């Protein structure tokens, strides 16, 4: 048994996850609809475990990060550069989405679609309400309900308080650091179950939905996947090159976070893996990453908040045979970039963002109802793009601010689980 376990861990992490993905797809296809109730519990168990560790991991990591970054780099500078790169990459993502949708024209030739009966336009909170919602009325409720932005806000205040009190809180700061280390270790344990969770999620997805549901809207699925792939490879890759970094090394190190994002379709569930990938595989300073990655998981949505609303807008315009003006294109760009920050923490970000953009551009909201049948398929690639961007920006800012260990980056390990001190490329 020991030899079997050792052999399992000798297989590179990404290969274990990829193998589970393929086996899950085959199992779901062979079993059919019963694959849902048979295999979904495995995926649900894994996602629940990831969500279990996410909030305490962020809470202790942010407190520790604020205290540790004090006196090293200005939090204002780091935060400002992080937000700036969030906005720049979001604007580029909208451009890619519009370009691909204009070229492939996914809204033409799809026939008369039936809108989903369950579709109701989302109520989008105003900007003032969004800002107010960042401040928790009850920090313990925020922790219990997984309100990440509220957790970050409270943890940041607590971290500043510990720094302000100086030596009076030295023992408490040490306790927080130890608690953060303990949560990182728990994260490694949970990540070892990623192949099992991947198998369950993919088997249930393929068995429940099948491949036939993709056919009526195949061009839309193709457009989204192509746009996301182009954005990841050329935009993200180009930004890495301009910073003197090898894109292949980045994608190798970021692979675990990207894999979990694709199968879970949840930025929140992927966040612990992304954080571990950014620090352990890519060499970003742990204290800065503890601030940037959770923040990105809440507001950095290139897939859901930029590419998808852009493609959905052109899909709706093409389906209803509407010509968009130059001002409408500009509104789509502006609403997508600003709206992705404004809808932070709102459930169903992709639908909310598409609602914001369609409303701003004066396009019929009923068009979104056609897309819900395939939303789960779209969400996988959207989330992969989200999480890749959430890992990219900390790498860029860390490179600019001298917080990137280039030796670790150039090794670009793909191991994010138990082997804390593994240094060889696998």
């Amino acid at each position: 048994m020991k030899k079997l376990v050792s052999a399992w861990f000798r297989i590179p992490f990404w290969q274990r996850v990829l193998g589970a993905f393929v086996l899950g797809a085959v199992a779901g296809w062979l079993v059919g609809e019963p694959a849902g109730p048979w295999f979904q519990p495995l995926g649900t168990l894994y996602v629940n475990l990831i969500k279990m560790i996410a909030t305490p991991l962020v809470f202790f990591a942010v407190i520790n990060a604020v205290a540790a970054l004090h006196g090293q780099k200005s939090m204002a500078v780091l935060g400002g550069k992080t937000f700036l790169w969030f906005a720049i990459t979001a604007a580029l993502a909208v451009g890619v989405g519009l370009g691909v949708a204009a070229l492939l024209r996914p809204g033409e030739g799809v026939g008369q679609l039936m809108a989903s009966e369950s579709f109701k336009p989302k109520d989008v909170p105003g900007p003032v309400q969004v800002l107010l919602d960042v401040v928790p009325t009850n920090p313990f409720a925020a922790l219990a309900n997984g309100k990440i932005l509220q957790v970050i806000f409270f943890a940041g205040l607590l971290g500043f308080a510990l720094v302000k009190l100086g030596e009076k809180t030295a023992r408490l700061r040490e306790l927080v650091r130890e608690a953060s280390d303990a949560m990182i270790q728990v994260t490694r344990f949970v990540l070892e179950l990623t192949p099992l969770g991947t198998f369950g999620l993919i088997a249930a997805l393929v068995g429940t939905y099948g491949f036939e549901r993709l056919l009526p809207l195949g061009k839309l699925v193709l457009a989204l996947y192509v746009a996301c792939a182009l954005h990841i490879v050329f935009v993200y890759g180009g930004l890495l090159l301009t910073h003197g970094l090898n894109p292949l090394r980045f994608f190798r190190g970021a692979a675990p976070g990207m894999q979990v994002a694709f199968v879970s379709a949840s930025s929140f569930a992927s966040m612990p893996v992304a954080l571990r990938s950014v620090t352990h595989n890519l060499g970003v300073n742990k204290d800065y990453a503890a601030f940037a990655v959770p923040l990105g998981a809440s507001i950095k949505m290139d897939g859901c908040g930029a590419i998808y609303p852009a493609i959905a807008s052109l899909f709706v315009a093409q389906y209803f045979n509407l010509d968009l003006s130059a001002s409408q294109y500009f509104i789509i760009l502006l609403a997508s970039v600003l709206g992705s920050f404004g809808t932070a923490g709102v459930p169903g970000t992709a639908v909310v963002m598409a609602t914001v953009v369609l409303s701003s551009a004066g396009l019929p909201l009923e068009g979104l109802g056609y897309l819900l049948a395939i939303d789960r398929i779209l969400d996988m690639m959207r989330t992969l793009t989200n999480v890749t961007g959430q890992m990219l920006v900390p790498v860029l800012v860390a490179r600019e601010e001298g917080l990137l260990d280039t030796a670790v980056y150039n090794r670009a390990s793909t191991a994010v689980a138990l082997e804390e001190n593994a240094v060889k490329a696998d």
Side-chain angles (χ1 to χ4, degrees), residues 84-387:
L84 178 62
W85 277 114
F86 282 175
I88 290 172
T89 51
L92 293 171
V94 175
V96 171
L98 290 174
V100 170
L103 182 64
L104 297 183
R105 306 193 66 81
E108 293 182 351
V110 295
Q112 294 298 312
L113 298 174
M114 294 294 294
S116 171
E117 295 180 358
S118 63
F119 173 72
K120 293 181 181 179
K122 293 281 186 176
D123 293 325
V124 182
V128 175
Q129 186 60 45
V130 169
L131 292 176
L132 292 176
D133 286 343
V134 172
V135 182
T137 56
N138 184 340
F140 297 102
L143 287 165
N145 296 323
K147 303 288 186 181
I148 290 295
L149 280 181
Q150 294 184 0
V151 170
I152 292 173
F153 180 86
F154 178 69
L157 279 181
L158 190 54
F160 279 120
L162 295 181
V163 171
K164 188 69 174 178
L165 292 172
E167 289 304 311
K168 292 181 181 180
T169 58
R171 287 178 295 177
L172 184 54
R173 288 201 303 270
E174 180 65 19
L175 180 62
V176 169
R177 186 188 65 79
E178 293 173 354
S180 179
D181 290 342
M183 284 308 306
I184 290 173
Q185 182 60 55
V186 173
T187 300
R188 296 192 201 109
F189 291 148
V190 172
L191 294 186
E192 288 298 340
L193 297 176
T194 299
L196 183 65
T198 298
F199 175 84
L201 289 167
I202 295 302
L205 176 70
V206 173
T208 301
Y209 291 94
F211 298 108
E212 64 275 3
R213 296 188 72 169
L214 296 176
L215 297 179
L217 293 167
K219 285 178 67 177
L220 177 69
V221 175
L222 177 64
L224 180 86
Y225 273 63
V226 168
C228 289
L230 291 174
H231 185 64
I232 290 171
V233 173
F234 292 102
V235 175
Y236 292 166
L239 290 173
L240 289 163
L241 286 172
T242 61
H243 284 72
L245 298 172
N246 186 330
L248 295 179
R249 296 292 182 183
F250 170 80
F251 292 123
R252 178 177 173 81
M258 296 169 70
Q259 289 172 324
V260 173
F262 188 78
V263 299
S264 68
S266 170
S267 291
F268 180 66
S270 307
M271 188 265 294
V273 192
L275 179 58
R276 178 73 173 152
S277 297
V278 164
T279 56
H280 181 266
N281 296 354
L282 298 173
V284 176
N285 177 276
K286 292 182 179 180
D287 298 317
Y288 167 60
F291 159 77
V293 174
L295 182 66
S298 298
I299 65 175
K300 175 59 178 168
M301 305 288 173
D302 283 356
C304 291
I307 293 175
Y308 178 67
I311 291 178
S313 297
L314 263 67
F315 169 85
V316 170
Q318 292 161 6
Y319 181 78
F320 289 105
N321 198 26
L322 303 174
D323 292 326
L324 297 180
S325 65
S327 61
Q328 284 177 303
Y329 280 106
F330 178 74
I331 289 171
I332 291 171
L333 172 64
L334 190 63
S336 297
V337 175
L338 298 180
S340 61
F341 295 109
T343 56
V346 180
T349 303
V351 177
V352 172
M353 277 304 307
T355 301
V356 170
V357 174
L358 288 175
S359 299
S360 301
L363 295 171
L365 293 178
E366 292 79 9
L368 287 179
Y370 303 139
L371 310 182
L372 293 189
I374 59 167
D375 192 67
R376 183 64 174 81
I377 306 297
L378 300 175
D379 205 22
M380 297 167 73
M381 192 62 178
R382 291 190 312 233
T383 307
L384 183 148
T385 308
N386 293 344
V387 173

